[in-house]
Amino acid sequence: MPKCRNSVLVNEVADRVRRILHKIADEKGLEIIDLAVQPDHVHLFVSSPPKHAPSLLANWFKGISSRKYNHRHADHDGEKIKWARGYYAGTAGHVSSERVQDYIRRQQNS
């Protein structure tokens, strides 16, 4: 989620962030199962080998995406992506992946 929860993740900015997150996943050998870019935060459902700690995944996605976006687009758009320090990570071990995806889709519609 961006700091201050400004609604900056809309339209072209959201599309760029979405592409960057998919590129990070490809480069790291991860699979994005579902992704919802909201105006002020992101829901990301990722399949990862157990050797990667959730904190590492959050650092990769947040750190790399903000550097890539800010380096390439912030000068043109005037808005930089500044993610908040916190994140939520959970495992899908006790619920089905379909239930997680349904939750993410419901967030898009709310």
Side-chain angles (χ1 to χ4, degrees), residues 2 4 22 32 36 41-42 69 87 92:
C4 304
H22 277 284
I32 293 180
H41 66 281
V42 172
Y69 183 89
Y87 64 91

Side-chain angles (χ1 to χ4, degrees), residues 43-58:
H43 291 273
L44 184 60
F45 184 25
V46 179
S47 177
S48 170
K51 67 180 179 180
H52 298 311
S55 59
L56 176 64
L57 298 176

Side-chain angles (χ1 to χ4, degrees), residues 7-74:
S7 296
V8 298
L9 302 176
V10 294
N11 303 322
E12 196 170 317
V13 174
D15 292 338
R16 289 175 180 159
V17 169
R18 194 175 289 108
R19 285 192 302 270
I20 289 169
L21 293 173
H22 277 284
K23 185 172 182 173
I24 293 166
D26 289 344
E27 291 170 353
K28 299 295 185 182
L30 307 170
E31 178 188 1
I32 293 180
I33 298 170
D34 208 350
L35 169 63
V37 178
Q38 301 294 302
D40 62 352
H41 66 281
V42 172
H43 291 273
L44 184 60
F45 184 25
V46 179
S47 177
S48 170
K51 67 180 179 180
H52 298 311
S55 59
L56 176 64
L57 298 176
N59 286 336
W60 279 347
F61 283 108
K62 291 168 76 171
I64 295 170
S65 66
S66 64
R67 281 191 303 276
K68 285 186 180 218
Y69 183 89
N70 293 340
H71 177 73
R72 181 173 287 169
H73 302 291

Side-chain angles (χ1 to χ4, degrees), residues 33-34 44-46 91-93 95-106:
I33 298 170
D34 208 350
L44 184 60
F45 184 25
V46 179
T91 62
V95 296
S96 70
S97 61
E98 290 83 13
R99 188 165 180 172
V100 175
Q101 287 176 289
D102 181 55
Y103 170 80
I104 291 172
R105 285 189 195 106
R106 281 194 318 252

